[in-house]
Amino acid sequence: MLKEITAALFFGLAIWAYQATNPPPPKICGTPGGPPITAPRVKLRDGRHLAYKEQGVSRETAKSKIVYVHGFASTRHDTVSVANLSPEVVQELGLYFVSFDRPGYGESDPDPKRSPESIALDIEELADHLGLGSKFHVMGFSMGGQVVWGCLKYIPHRLAGATLIAPVVNYWWPGFPANLSTEAYYQQPPQDQWTLRVAHHAPWLTYWWNTQKWFPASAVAAQKPEVFSRQDLELLFMVAGGGKDNKPQAIMHPQTIQQGEFETLHRDMMFGFGKWKFDPMDLENPFPENEGSVHLWQGDEDKMVPPSLQRYIVQRLPWINFHEVSGSGHLFPFIPEICEAIIKSSVLGKN
């Protein structure tokens, strides 16, 4: 009897271990049982498809062509900088924008091998498919801002300029002094500390950690009020309106995780906080002759991305134009005046 009970326990543990480390397969767009394809898409080198959205003036008449990279839990539709620009500014500066669903999000195929290099090459391929020319601007917000580091590393020769807006920081980049990154790390809510610890040290458990019910998972993924600054909450209320109890709520586009949470939210965690092959603080200036510029924007009250770590990065990389926005949290690009300043500094090279 004891042998049967022991065998049953081991069998149950084996099933649990398999389910914990093997997330359900994604529902690929355009396949049986998957979401429909509604967006224009390009086919990449490895057979994957990338969905995109064009805005602004036409490619043919554009003075500046910008590839915009969306953030965590977002899609090609979530181009905060574009949405907050006046049509007059777009026309005056001749701005063309193309945003795309990062792999797994929206209508872009998942990429189980996603890395800073692979997504930089995806951007290069998208630009070539659309005929954007030999050089173009890249701009990314939050997790999309982190993607821009990969562009500066792997395709610097294709860039006319680069802008990182509140880019997510990997606490394990080796260039950070241990005391500085540790102090910033422990400023996060405890549940986010554990979420990132799992994503970095045990990525195979990321799916389990974010779906189990015993301990609270990511406060950022759950959009808990404590991860937003006072200004962030005001902006959320202004943009999204009030939710339950008339409290501000964030809006997620219906297409965001339609292919599954693992290849979107969970893959972002493993991508953003995993082990990178390079340290951004070792990068060299891609514009030694001032033929372009790199800008980093950061709110000084950001509760998601530590301003102290951004300040250290720009000290190490003095060729980056640093813009610290006083009194702002993570969502300052939603402010029209700041949005316009971000765009103008990017394409005109002005501080």
Side-chain angles (χ1 to χ4, degrees), residues 130-158:
L130 296 176
L132 301 190
S134 60
K135 290 185 181 291
F136 49 86
H137 294 264
V138 289
M139 177 180 295
F141 171 58
S142 193
M143 190 67 77
Q146 194 186 53
V147 168
V148 176
W149 290 121
C151 295
L152 291 167
K153 170 66 176 178
Y154 296 108
I155 58 168
H157 56 289
R158 300 300 307 273

Side-chain angles (χ1 to χ4, degrees), residues 25-29 35 104-110 257-261:
K27 298 177 180 179
I28 308 295
C29 286
Y105 280 104
E107 297 183 36
S108 288
D109 294 338
I257 57 173
Q258 63 179 354
Q259 299 185 85
E261 288 190 19

